[in-house]
Amino acid sequence: SSPSRFAALVLGACHFAMRPGCVLVFLAGAQQNPPVWPESVQVFGPGDAGIADAVNAAYATNGGKHDHGQFSTKNFAFLFKPGTYTVDVPVGFYTQVLGLGDSPDDVEFTGPKGVYCEEGATEFTVGALDTFWRGAENFRS
């Protein structure tokens, strides 16, 4: 039997059994756990070396004065496992910083700035539109 026929049978069985999770598991297929992330995604633990180097390199690409990186094609995601981090994390354009704890209290940044976003433009007549296309959530700073 062909792979497409097999897929139709499995999807039909999942639909008949009214088990939506079955369809999701089938469609996702077998995947390595943890997944193989692209270089633009980095997962850190509290004892990891090189965190400051990684986040500063991303900021050098997509952050800083004069809206550097505002129209970049580079994207970055930094995921932090539960724990305490003494590093400051500047958040540039197209950068996401995520705490992986169950609660924001599970991931804490204790550096002088913590996780922060600087205004990219020194000319403030343009307003707050220079701080979008970035995100940070689920941690304490």
Side-chain angles (χ1 to χ4, degrees):
S1 140
S2 71
S4 60
R5 177 156 167 69
F6 176 74
L9 289 172
V10 170
L11 289 173
C14 289
H15 177 71
F16 180 75
M18 300 183 76
R19 309 251 348 204
C22 177
V23 175
L24 293 176
V25 168
F26 175 75
L27 293 177
Q31 197 175 64
Q32 182 178 334
N33 188 6
V36 177
W37 299 105
E39 288 182 24
S40 60
V41 177
Q42 295 186 42
V43 181
F44 298 113
D48 290 348
I51 296 172
D53 292 337
V55 298
N56 288 329
Y59 192 71
T61 301
N62 282 0
K65 300 295 181 206
H66 310 295
D67 298 328
H68 179 72
Q70 184 174 7
F71 298 104
S72 174
T73 58
K74 305 287 185 190
N75 297 291
F76 302 95
F78 300 111
L79 289 67
F80 291 87
K81 296 175 184 177
T84 300
Y85 299 84
T86 57
V87 66
D88 291 324
V89 181
V91 183
F93 289 105
Y94 306 104
T95 301
Q96 181 76 29
V97 177
L98 300 166
L100 297 177
D102 290 332
S103 150
D105 292 332
D106 294 338
V107 177
E108 182 177 16
F109 293 89
T110 60
K113 291 184 177 181
V115 177
Y116 67 97
C117 171
E118 288 186 355
E119 177 68 49
T122 55
E123 180 66 39
F124 292 105
T125 59
V126 294
L129 293 179
D130 290 341
T131 58
F132 60 106
W133 298 333
R134 58 188 97 205
E137 58 187 284
N138 201 39
F139 58 84
R140 260 187 355 194
S141 183

